[in-house]
Amino acid sequence: MSRLWARGLLLAYLLVVLLCLSTFGVYYSEARRLVGANYAAMVTDLVRAQHDPDRLRLILESLVERPDPIYLQQLRDLTWRIPLRIQGLDNHLRHSDLPPQDYRPFVAELADAEGRLSELEQVIDRVGRDSTLTPQEAHLLRELGLDIEESLAWSYSELNQLLHQASADQRHFMQRLTLAVAVLMWSLLVAIGGVLLMLWRLQVQSEAMQRLSLTDQLTGLGNRRRLLQEAEGAFARRERSDEPLALVLLDLDHFKRFNDTYGHPQGDEVLVRFARLLQESVRRMDVVARMGGEEFAILMPHSDLDAAHRLADRLLEAVGKMPLPGAAATGELSVSIGIAEAGEQDDFDRLYARADRRLYRAKELGRDRVEWAT
C-alpha cells in the first residue's frame, strides 16, 4: 500500500513539476517576445523618420543648385510624408507607457517643424510655377529647410534615445520579474514536494501503526486481531461460494516449565522458531497467528477437516524434530492441537470455541496429540 501511495504521490508531483515547467516555459517565451513590444513599432517608424532630415537636406541642396522639376516633386513628396510620420509617432507615444512629460518637448518641437513645412510648401509652389529660383527664394528655401531639418534631426535623435532607454528599462524589469516568477515557482514546487513528502510519511507511519496493531512483536506473525480480521473476510467468502474453512489451534506443552527451566530468553527463541516452522509448513493463503503466550492458530480457507488433520499431523512430527536453542538443546518439546471445520450456521466464535475444546481435550488426554473428532 505504501508503494502505491509513494508512486501516486511521485506521479502527482511529477505532473505538478511538468505543469509548472510548461507554464514557466510559455511565460518565458512570451515575455521575451513581448519585451520591448510597446516600443517596436515606434522604433521602426522612428528609424525610417530619421532618414527624412538627411533626405531633406540633400534635396534642398540639389534644388538650390538646379531647380529641376524632379527635385521639386521629391520635395513635395517629402513634405507630405514628414507630417504623416510625425502624426504616427505622436499616436504611438500617446498610447505607450512613457510618461508624457518625458516626450512632450520633442513632440512640441516636431509640431513646430510640421507647421513650418507649410511655409516650405508655399516656396515650392512659387518655384514650381515658373521653374526658376530667385536668390531670395533660394535663401528662404535653404533657411526654412535647414531649420526644419535641424528640428527633425534633434527631435528624432532625442526620441530615439528615450525609446531605447525605455526599452532597456522594460527588459531589465522583465528580467527581474522573470527571476521573481522562477523563484516563486521553485518555492511552490518545494512546498508541494514537502507537503507530498509529509503525506507519504504520514501514510507510511499509518500503515506501520496498522501493521503493528495486527502483528505479534516477538514472532512477526499476525496477532488475535489480525486473525479476527482475516476470519471475517473468510466467512464472507464462504457464504458466497460455500467453500470449506478449517481452524487449527496449537499450544506448546508444558511451556511454563520450559521457561522456568531454561529461562525466558530461551523460551522466546523457541517461540520464534516455532512460528517460523508454522509459516514454512502452511500454504500462502493460510493465516498463521499467535493468540497469546504459547498458543497459536492457523486459519485455513478452502480446507476441510481432513486437510487440517493432515497439516496437524505434519506439524506434530516436525515439532518433535525441531532443534532447540542453547542449553535447551537436550530438552524435548511437544505440541497439542485441536482442529475444527466451520459448519453451515457457524461464525468464527463458534468455530474457535469448538477447536478450543478439542485442544483442551488433547491436553487432557496426555498432550503431544491431535484432536479433531467431535
PDB file of all heavy atoms in Angstrom, residues 83-115:
ATOM      1  N   PRO A  83       4.791  65.006 -42.193  1.00  0.00           N
ATOM      2  CA  PRO A  83       3.683  65.151 -41.244  1.00  0.00           C
ATOM      3  C   PRO A  83       3.028  63.818 -40.873  1.00  0.00           C
ATOM      4  O   PRO A  83       2.616  63.631 -39.721  1.00  0.00           O
ATOM      5  CB  PRO A  83       2.702  66.071 -41.978  1.00  0.00           C
ATOM      6  CG  PRO A  83       3.551  66.835 -42.920  1.00  0.00           C
ATOM      7  CD  PRO A  83       4.612  65.879 -43.367  1.00  0.00           C
ATOM      8  N   LEU A  84       2.942  62.905 -41.844  1.00  0.00           N
ATOM      9  CA  LEU A  84       2.359  61.598 -41.541  1.00  0.00           C
ATOM     10  C   LEU A  84       3.213  60.842 -40.530  1.00  0.00           C
ATOM     11  O   LEU A  84       2.695  60.194 -39.610  1.00  0.00           O
ATOM     12  CB  LEU A  84       2.212  60.769 -42.829  1.00  0.00           C
ATOM     13  CG  LEU A  84       1.209  61.296 -43.862  1.00  0.00           C
ATOM     14  CD1 LEU A  84       1.178  60.377 -45.080  1.00  0.00           C
ATOM     15  CD2 LEU A  84      -0.187  61.396 -43.242  1.00  0.00           C
ATOM     16  N   ARG A  85       4.517  60.931 -40.684  1.00  0.00           N
ATOM     17  CA  ARG A  85       5.407  60.253 -39.733  1.00  0.00           C
ATOM     18  C   ARG A  85       5.278  60.892 -38.351  1.00  0.00           C
ATOM     19  O   ARG A  85       5.271  60.191 -37.338  1.00  0.00           O
ATOM     20  CB  ARG A  85       6.850  60.335 -40.215  1.00  0.00           C
ATOM     21  CG  ARG A  85       7.132  59.584 -41.510  1.00  0.00           C
ATOM     22  CD  ARG A  85       8.623  59.355 -41.650  1.00  0.00           C
ATOM     23  NE  ARG A  85       9.008  58.932 -42.962  1.00  0.00           N
ATOM     24  CZ  ARG A  85       8.919  57.680 -43.419  1.00  0.00           C
ATOM     25  NH1 ARG A  85       8.396  56.746 -42.654  1.00  0.00           N
ATOM     26  NH2 ARG A  85       9.334  57.379 -44.648  1.00  0.00           N
ATOM     27  N   ILE A  86       5.204  62.216 -38.316  1.00  0.00           N
ATOM     28  CA  ILE A  86       5.080  62.902 -37.028  1.00  0.00           C
ATOM     29  C   ILE A  86       3.774  62.508 -36.336  1.00  0.00           C
ATOM     30  O   ILE A  86       3.749  62.235 -35.131  1.00  0.00           O
ATOM     31  CB  ILE A  86       5.158  64.433 -37.232  1.00  0.00           C
ATOM     32  CG1 ILE A  86       6.565  64.820 -37.707  1.00  0.00           C
ATOM     33  CG2 ILE A  86       4.817  65.158 -35.940  1.00  0.00           C
ATOM     34  CD1 ILE A  86       6.697  66.287 -38.056  1.00  0.00           C
ATOM     35  N   GLN A  87       2.688  62.454 -37.095  1.00  0.00           N
ATOM     36  CA  GLN A  87       1.397  62.058 -36.519  1.00  0.00           C
ATOM     37  C   GLN A  87       1.428  60.605 -36.021  1.00  0.00           C
ATOM     38  O   GLN A  87       0.881  60.286 -34.972  1.00  0.00           O
ATOM     39  CB  GLN A  87       0.291  62.239 -37.555  1.00  0.00           C
ATOM     40  CG  GLN A  87       0.022  63.689 -37.920  1.00  0.00           C
ATOM     41  CD  GLN A  87      -0.919  63.824 -39.099  1.00  0.00           C
ATOM     42  OE1 GLN A  87      -1.532  62.849 -39.533  1.00  0.00           O
ATOM     43  NE2 GLN A  87      -1.028  65.055 -39.633  1.00  0.00           N
ATOM     44  N   GLY A  88       2.082  59.743 -36.800  1.00  0.00           N
ATOM     45  CA  GLY A  88       2.190  58.349 -36.374  1.00  0.00           C
ATOM     46  C   GLY A  88       2.979  58.202 -35.079  1.00  0.00           C
ATOM     47  O   GLY A  88       2.591  57.457 -34.171  1.00  0.00           O
ATOM     48  N   LEU A  89       4.109  58.917 -34.999  1.00  0.00           N
ATOM     49  CA  LEU A  89       4.904  58.865 -33.772  1.00  0.00           C
ATOM     50  C   LEU A  89       4.133  59.439 -32.588  1.00  0.00           C
ATOM     51  O   LEU A  89       4.187  58.902 -31.465  1.00  0.00           O
ATOM     52  CB  LEU A  89       6.205  59.643 -33.963  1.00  0.00           C
ATOM     53  CG  LEU A  89       7.288  58.954 -34.802  1.00  0.00           C
ATOM     54  CD1 LEU A  89       8.439  59.926 -35.071  1.00  0.00           C
ATOM     55  CD2 LEU A  89       7.803  57.714 -34.087  1.00  0.00           C
ATOM     56  N   ASP A  90       3.406  60.524 -32.824  1.00  0.00           N
ATOM     57  CA  ASP A  90       2.617  61.128 -31.749  1.00  0.00           C
ATOM     58  C   ASP A  90       1.547  60.156 -31.245  1.00  0.00           C
ATOM     59  O   ASP A  90       1.329  60.027 -30.032  1.00  0.00           O
ATOM     60  CB  ASP A  90       1.967  62.417 -32.254  1.00  0.00           C
ATOM     61  CG  ASP A  90       1.190  63.119 -31.141  1.00  0.00           C
ATOM     62  OD1 ASP A  90       1.808  63.468 -30.113  1.00  0.00           O
ATOM     63  OD2 ASP A  90      -0.031  63.293 -31.298  1.00  0.00           O
ATOM     64  N   ASN A  91       0.921  59.458 -32.160  1.00  0.00           N
ATOM     65  CA  ASN A  91      -0.096  58.476 -31.764  1.00  0.00           C
ATOM     66  C   ASN A  91       0.518  57.326 -30.966  1.00  0.00           C
ATOM     67  O   ASN A  91      -0.031  56.883 -29.954  1.00  0.00           O
ATOM     68  CB  ASN A  91      -0.797  57.941 -33.012  1.00  0.00           C
ATOM     69  CG  ASN A  91      -1.931  56.989 -32.671  1.00  0.00           C
ATOM     70  OD1 ASN A  91      -2.884  57.343 -31.979  1.00  0.00           O
ATOM     71  ND2 ASN A  91      -1.820  55.765 -33.166  1.00  0.00           N
ATOM     72  N   HIS A  92       1.677  56.833 -31.406  1.00  0.00           N
ATOM     73  CA  HIS A  92       2.369  55.761 -30.674  1.00  0.00           C
ATOM     74  C   HIS A  92       2.744  56.220 -29.263  1.00  0.00           C
ATOM     75  O   HIS A  92       2.582  55.470 -28.288  1.00  0.00           O
ATOM     76  CB  HIS A  92       3.629  55.331 -31.419  1.00  0.00           C
ATOM     77  CG  HIS A  92       3.372  54.446 -32.581  1.00  0.00           C
ATOM     78  ND1 HIS A  92       2.586  53.304 -32.513  1.00  0.00           N
ATOM     79  CD2 HIS A  92       3.791  54.520 -33.877  1.00  0.00           C
ATOM     80  CE1 HIS A  92       2.540  52.718 -33.695  1.00  0.00           C
ATOM     81  NE2 HIS A  92       3.258  53.435 -34.542  1.00  0.00           N
ATOM     82  N   LEU A  93       3.256  57.415 -29.168  1.00  0.00           N
ATOM     83  CA  LEU A  93       3.697  57.914 -27.861  1.00  0.00           C
ATOM     84  C   LEU A  93       2.529  58.074 -26.901  1.00  0.00           C
ATOM     85  O   LEU A  93       2.648  57.794 -25.708  1.00  0.00           O
ATOM     86  CB  LEU A  93       4.419  59.259 -28.041  1.00  0.00           C
ATOM     87  CG  LEU A  93       5.800  59.181 -28.708  1.00  0.00           C
ATOM     88  CD1 LEU A  93       6.286  60.577 -29.077  1.00  0.00           C
ATOM     89  CD2 LEU A  93       6.810  58.488 -27.795  1.00  0.00           C
ATOM     90  N   ARG A  94       1.384  58.529 -27.429  1.00  0.00           N
ATOM     91  CA  ARG A  94       0.213  58.712 -26.565  1.00  0.00           C
ATOM     92  C   ARG A  94      -0.294  57.376 -26.013  1.00  0.00           C
ATOM     93  O   ARG A  94      -0.867  57.325 -24.917  1.00  0.00           O
ATOM     94  CB  ARG A  94      -0.916  59.416 -27.331  1.00  0.00           C
ATOM     95  CG  ARG A  94      -0.616  60.865 -27.663  1.00  0.00           C
ATOM     96  CD  ARG A  94      -1.763  61.483 -28.449  1.00  0.00           C
ATOM     97  NE  ARG A  94      -1.446  62.830 -28.884  1.00  0.00           N
ATOM     98  CZ  ARG A  94      -1.610  63.910 -28.117  1.00  0.00           C
ATOM     99  NH1 ARG A  94      -2.105  63.775 -26.887  1.00  0.00           N
ATOM    100  NH2 ARG A  94      -1.293  65.102 -28.572  1.00  0.00           N
ATOM    101  N   HIS A  95      -0.122  56.330 -26.764  1.00  0.00           N
ATOM    102  CA  HIS A  95      -0.593  55.011 -26.328  1.00  0.00           C
ATOM    103  C   HIS A  95       0.504  54.168 -25.673  1.00  0.00           C
ATOM    104  O   HIS A  95       0.292  52.991 -25.380  1.00  0.00           O
ATOM    105  CB  HIS A  95      -1.170  54.233 -27.521  1.00  0.00           C
ATOM    106  CG  HIS A  95      -2.452  54.809 -28.038  1.00  0.00           C
ATOM    107  ND1 HIS A  95      -2.489  55.839 -28.955  1.00  0.00           N
ATOM    108  CD2 HIS A  95      -3.743  54.507 -27.743  1.00  0.00           C
ATOM    109  CE1 HIS A  95      -3.741  56.142 -29.228  1.00  0.00           C
ATOM    110  NE2 HIS A  95      -4.537  55.357 -28.512  1.00  0.00           N
ATOM    111  N   SER A  96       1.642  54.734 -25.445  1.00  0.00           N
ATOM    112  CA  SER A  96       2.738  53.994 -24.803  1.00  0.00           C
ATOM    113  C   SER A  96       2.679  54.176 -23.291  1.00  0.00           C
ATOM    114  O   SER A  96       1.841  54.909 -22.765  1.00  0.00           O
ATOM    115  CB  SER A  96       4.084  54.484 -25.342  1.00  0.00           C
ATOM    116  OG  SER A  96       4.362  55.789 -24.851  1.00  0.00           O
ATOM    117  N   ASP A  97       3.599  53.480 -22.614  1.00  0.00           N
ATOM    118  CA  ASP A  97       3.702  53.588 -21.158  1.00  0.00           C
ATOM    119  C   ASP A  97       4.625  54.720 -20.719  1.00  0.00           C
ATOM    120  O   ASP A  97       4.864  54.889 -19.512  1.00  0.00           O
ATOM    121  CB  ASP A  97       4.222  52.271 -20.564  1.00  0.00           C
ATOM    122  CG  ASP A  97       3.260  51.126 -20.829  1.00  0.00           C
ATOM    123  OD1 ASP A  97       2.042  51.391 -20.903  1.00  0.00           O
ATOM    124  OD2 ASP A  97       3.721  49.975 -20.956  1.00  0.00           O
ATOM    125  N   LEU A  98       5.146  55.459 -21.673  1.00  0.00           N
ATOM    126  CA  LEU A  98       6.079  56.539 -21.322  1.00  0.00           C
ATOM    127  C   LEU A  98       5.331  57.688 -20.636  1.00  0.00           C
ATOM    128  O   LEU A  98       4.228  58.056 -21.067  1.00  0.00           O
ATOM    129  CB  LEU A  98       6.761  57.068 -22.577  1.00  0.00           C
ATOM    130  CG  LEU A  98       7.785  56.151 -23.243  1.00  0.00           C
ATOM    131  CD1 LEU A  98       8.221  56.740 -24.580  1.00  0.00           C
ATOM    132  CD2 LEU A  98       8.989  55.943 -22.331  1.00  0.00           C
ATOM    133  N   PRO A  99       5.912  58.274 -19.617  1.00  0.00           N
ATOM    134  CA  PRO A  99       5.298  59.467 -19.007  1.00  0.00           C
ATOM    135  C   PRO A  99       5.264  60.608 -20.018  1.00  0.00           C
ATOM    136  O   PRO A  99       6.268  60.867 -20.697  1.00  0.00           O
ATOM    137  CB  PRO A  99       6.233  59.785 -17.829  1.00  0.00           C
ATOM    138  CG  PRO A  99       6.981  58.518 -17.572  1.00  0.00           C
ATOM    139  CD  PRO A  99       7.124  57.846 -18.898  1.00  0.00           C
ATOM    140  N   PRO A 100       4.130  61.305 -20.153  1.00  0.00           N
ATOM    141  CA  PRO A 100       4.020  62.389 -21.166  1.00  0.00           C
ATOM    142  C   PRO A 100       5.086  63.460 -21.009  1.00  0.00           C
ATOM    143  O   PRO A 100       5.552  64.017 -22.015  1.00  0.00           O
ATOM    144  CB  PRO A 100       2.614  62.948 -20.917  1.00  0.00           C
ATOM    145  CG  PRO A 100       1.859  61.813 -20.296  1.00  0.00           C
ATOM    146  CD  PRO A 100       2.855  61.072 -19.463  1.00  0.00           C
ATOM    147  N   GLN A 101       5.494  63.754 -19.760  1.00  0.00           N
ATOM    148  CA  GLN A 101       6.484  64.815 -19.576  1.00  0.00           C
ATOM    149  C   GLN A 101       7.838  64.443 -20.170  1.00  0.00           C
ATOM    150  O   GLN A 101       8.674  65.333 -20.420  1.00  0.00           O
ATOM    151  CB  GLN A 101       6.647  65.156 -18.083  1.00  0.00           C
ATOM    152  CG  GLN A 101       7.165  64.013 -17.213  1.00  0.00           C
ATOM    153  CD  GLN A 101       6.047  63.154 -16.651  1.00  0.00           C
ATOM    154  OE1 GLN A 101       4.925  63.192 -17.158  1.00  0.00           O
ATOM    155  NE2 GLN A 101       6.342  62.414 -15.597  1.00  0.00           N
ATOM    156  N   ASP A 102       8.071  63.125 -20.404  1.00  0.00           N
ATOM    157  CA  ASP A 102       9.363  62.719 -20.963  1.00  0.00           C
ATOM    158  C   ASP A 102       9.460  63.014 -22.452  1.00  0.00           C
ATOM    159  O   ASP A 102      10.546  63.315 -22.968  1.00  0.00           O
ATOM    160  CB  ASP A 102       9.601  61.227 -20.723  1.00  0.00           C
ATOM    161  CG  ASP A 102       9.883  60.921 -19.262  1.00  0.00           C
ATOM    162  OD1 ASP A 102      10.054  61.881 -18.485  1.00  0.00           O
ATOM    163  OD2 ASP A 102       9.912  59.729 -18.891  1.00  0.00           O
ATOM    164  N   TYR A 103       8.349  62.899 -23.186  1.00  0.00           N
ATOM    165  CA  TYR A 103       8.413  63.056 -24.635  1.00  0.00           C
ATOM    166  C   TYR A 103       7.713  64.328 -25.136  1.00  0.00           C
ATOM    167  O   TYR A 103       7.819  64.671 -26.323  1.00  0.00           O
ATOM    168  CB  TYR A 103       7.788  61.845 -25.340  1.00  0.00           C
ATOM    169  CG  TYR A 103       6.325  61.612 -25.029  1.00  0.00           C
ATOM    170  CD1 TYR A 103       5.327  62.337 -25.686  1.00  0.00           C
ATOM    171  CD2 TYR A 103       5.937  60.647 -24.106  1.00  0.00           C
ATOM    172  CE1 TYR A 103       3.981  62.109 -25.422  1.00  0.00           C
ATOM    173  CE2 TYR A 103       4.597  60.424 -23.833  1.00  0.00           C
ATOM    174  CZ  TYR A 103       3.625  61.149 -24.493  1.00  0.00           C
ATOM    175  OH  TYR A 103       2.300  60.927 -24.230  1.00  0.00           O
ATOM    176  N   ARG A 104       7.011  65.065 -24.259  1.00  0.00           N
ATOM    177  CA  ARG A 104       6.242  66.236 -24.686  1.00  0.00           C
ATOM    178  C   ARG A 104       7.112  67.310 -25.349  1.00  0.00           C
ATOM    179  O   ARG A 104       6.715  67.880 -26.385  1.00  0.00           O
ATOM    180  CB  ARG A 104       5.482  66.803 -23.492  1.00  0.00           C
ATOM    181  CG  ARG A 104       4.426  67.839 -23.877  1.00  0.00           C
ATOM    182  CD  ARG A 104       3.594  68.195 -22.666  1.00  0.00           C
ATOM    183  NE  ARG A 104       2.776  67.071 -22.243  1.00  0.00           N
ATOM    184  CZ  ARG A 104       2.468  66.800 -20.974  1.00  0.00           C
ATOM    185  NH1 ARG A 104       2.955  67.564 -20.007  1.00  0.00           N
ATOM    186  NH2 ARG A 104       1.686  65.780 -20.681  1.00  0.00           N
ATOM    187  N   PRO A 105       8.314  67.634 -24.833  1.00  0.00           N
ATOM    188  CA  PRO A 105       9.136  68.675 -25.509  1.00  0.00           C
ATOM    189  C   PRO A 105       9.501  68.297 -26.937  1.00  0.00           C
ATOM    190  O   PRO A 105       9.528  69.164 -27.825  1.00  0.00           O
ATOM    191  CB  PRO A 105      10.377  68.774 -24.627  1.00  0.00           C
ATOM    192  CG  PRO A 105       9.943  68.248 -23.293  1.00  0.00           C
ATOM    193  CD  PRO A 105       8.945  67.188 -23.592  1.00  0.00           C
ATOM    194  N   PHE A 106       9.766  67.019 -27.190  1.00  0.00           N
ATOM    195  CA  PHE A 106      10.163  66.588 -28.531  1.00  0.00           C
ATOM    196  C   PHE A 106       8.974  66.588 -29.479  1.00  0.00           C
ATOM    197  O   PHE A 106       9.116  66.935 -30.661  1.00  0.00           O
ATOM    198  CB  PHE A 106      10.803  65.200 -28.455  1.00  0.00           C
ATOM    199  CG  PHE A 106      11.795  65.057 -27.333  1.00  0.00           C
ATOM    200  CD1 PHE A 106      11.678  64.037 -26.385  1.00  0.00           C
ATOM    201  CD2 PHE A 106      12.837  65.964 -27.208  1.00  0.00           C
ATOM    202  CE1 PHE A 106      12.579  63.924 -25.350  1.00  0.00           C
ATOM    203  CE2 PHE A 106      13.756  65.850 -26.169  1.00  0.00           C
ATOM    204  CZ  PHE A 106      13.614  64.825 -25.233  1.00  0.00           C
ATOM    205  N   VAL A 107       7.810  66.207 -28.969  1.00  0.00           N
ATOM    206  CA  VAL A 107       6.604  66.253 -29.799  1.00  0.00           C
ATOM    207  C   VAL A 107       6.262  67.697 -30.154  1.00  0.00           C
ATOM    208  O   VAL A 107       5.853  68.005 -31.287  1.00  0.00           O
ATOM    209  CB  VAL A 107       5.426  65.576 -29.055  1.00  0.00           C
ATOM    210  CG1 VAL A 107       4.128  65.785 -29.823  1.00  0.00           C
ATOM    211  CG2 VAL A 107       5.697  64.082 -28.881  1.00  0.00           C
ATOM    212  N   ALA A 108       6.453  68.612 -29.190  1.00  0.00           N
ATOM    213  CA  ALA A 108       6.201  70.035 -29.464  1.00  0.00           C
ATOM    214  C   ALA A 108       7.152  70.553 -30.541  1.00  0.00           C
ATOM    215  O   ALA A 108       6.751  71.329 -31.429  1.00  0.00           O
ATOM    216  CB  ALA A 108       6.349  70.847 -28.180  1.00  0.00           C
ATOM    217  N   GLU A 109       8.414  70.126 -30.478  1.00  0.00           N
ATOM    218  CA  GLU A 109       9.383  70.547 -31.488  1.00  0.00           C
ATOM    219  C   GLU A 109       9.011  70.005 -32.865  1.00  0.00           C
ATOM    220  O   GLU A 109       9.120  70.703 -33.882  1.00  0.00           O
ATOM    221  CB  GLU A 109      10.778  70.058 -31.094  1.00  0.00           C
ATOM    222  CG  GLU A 109      11.891  70.513 -32.022  1.00  0.00           C
ATOM    223  CD  GLU A 109      12.158  72.013 -31.896  1.00  0.00           C
ATOM    224  OE1 GLU A 109      11.786  72.617 -30.861  1.00  0.00           O
ATOM    225  OE2 GLU A 109      12.739  72.586 -32.842  1.00  0.00           O
ATOM    226  N   LEU A 110       8.514  68.761 -32.898  1.00  0.00           N
ATOM    227  CA  LEU A 110       8.084  68.176 -34.171  1.00  0.00           C
ATOM    228  C   LEU A 110       6.856  68.898 -34.708  1.00  0.00           C
ATOM    229  O   LEU A 110       6.729  69.111 -35.927  1.00  0.00           O
ATOM    230  CB  LEU A 110       7.782  66.681 -33.983  1.00  0.00           C
ATOM    231  CG  LEU A 110       8.980  65.763 -33.747  1.00  0.00           C
ATOM    232  CD1 LEU A 110       8.508  64.348 -33.447  1.00  0.00           C
ATOM    233  CD2 LEU A 110       9.907  65.767 -34.964  1.00  0.00           C
ATOM    234  N   ALA A 111       5.954  69.273 -33.816  1.00  0.00           N
ATOM    235  CA  ALA A 111       4.759  70.006 -34.244  1.00  0.00           C
ATOM    236  C   ALA A 111       5.141  71.360 -34.830  1.00  0.00           C
ATOM    237  O   ALA A 111       4.552  71.819 -35.833  1.00  0.00           O
ATOM    238  CB  ALA A 111       3.797  70.169 -33.065  1.00  0.00           C
ATOM    239  N   ASP A 112       6.123  71.994 -34.222  1.00  0.00           N
ATOM    240  CA  ASP A 112       6.587  73.286 -34.736  1.00  0.00           C
ATOM    241  C   ASP A 112       7.217  73.124 -36.121  1.00  0.00           C
ATOM    242  O   ASP A 112       6.987  73.933 -37.034  1.00  0.00           O
ATOM    243  CB  ASP A 112       7.593  73.884 -33.761  1.00  0.00           C
ATOM    244  CG  ASP A 112       8.078  75.257 -34.210  1.00  0.00           C
ATOM    245  OD1 ASP A 112       7.255  76.192 -34.250  1.00  0.00           O
ATOM    246  OD2 ASP A 112       9.275  75.364 -34.545  1.00  0.00           O
ATOM    247  N   ALA A 113       8.010  72.060 -36.274  1.00  0.00           N
ATOM    248  CA  ALA A 113       8.615  71.790 -37.582  1.00  0.00           C
ATOM    249  C   ALA A 113       7.553  71.480 -38.620  1.00  0.00           C
ATOM    250  O   ALA A 113       7.662  71.890 -39.788  1.00  0.00           O
ATOM    251  CB  ALA A 113       9.602  70.623 -37.462  1.00  0.00           C
ATOM    252  N   GLU A 114       6.504  70.766 -38.198  1.00  0.00           N
ATOM    253  CA  GLU A 114       5.414  70.458 -39.108  1.00  0.00           C
ATOM    254  C   GLU A 114       4.717  71.741 -39.587  1.00  0.00           C
ATOM    255  O   GLU A 114       4.320  71.868 -40.754  1.00  0.00           O
ATOM    256  CB  GLU A 114       4.398  69.536 -38.409  1.00  0.00           C
ATOM    257  CG  GLU A 114       3.266  69.079 -39.306  1.00  0.00           C
ATOM    258  CD  GLU A 114       2.287  68.177 -38.573  1.00  0.00           C
ATOM    259  OE1 GLU A 114       2.501  67.930 -37.366  1.00  0.00           O
ATOM    260  OE2 GLU A 114       1.314  67.735 -39.204  1.00  0.00           O
ATOM    261  N   GLY A 115       4.562  72.709 -38.638  1.00  0.00           N
ATOM    262  CA  GLY A 115       3.949  73.976 -39.026  1.00  0.00           C
ATOM    263  C   GLY A 115       4.789  74.742 -40.030  1.00  0.00           C
ATOM    264  O   GLY A 115       4.256  75.407 -40.942  1.00  0.00           O
TER     265      GLY A 115
END
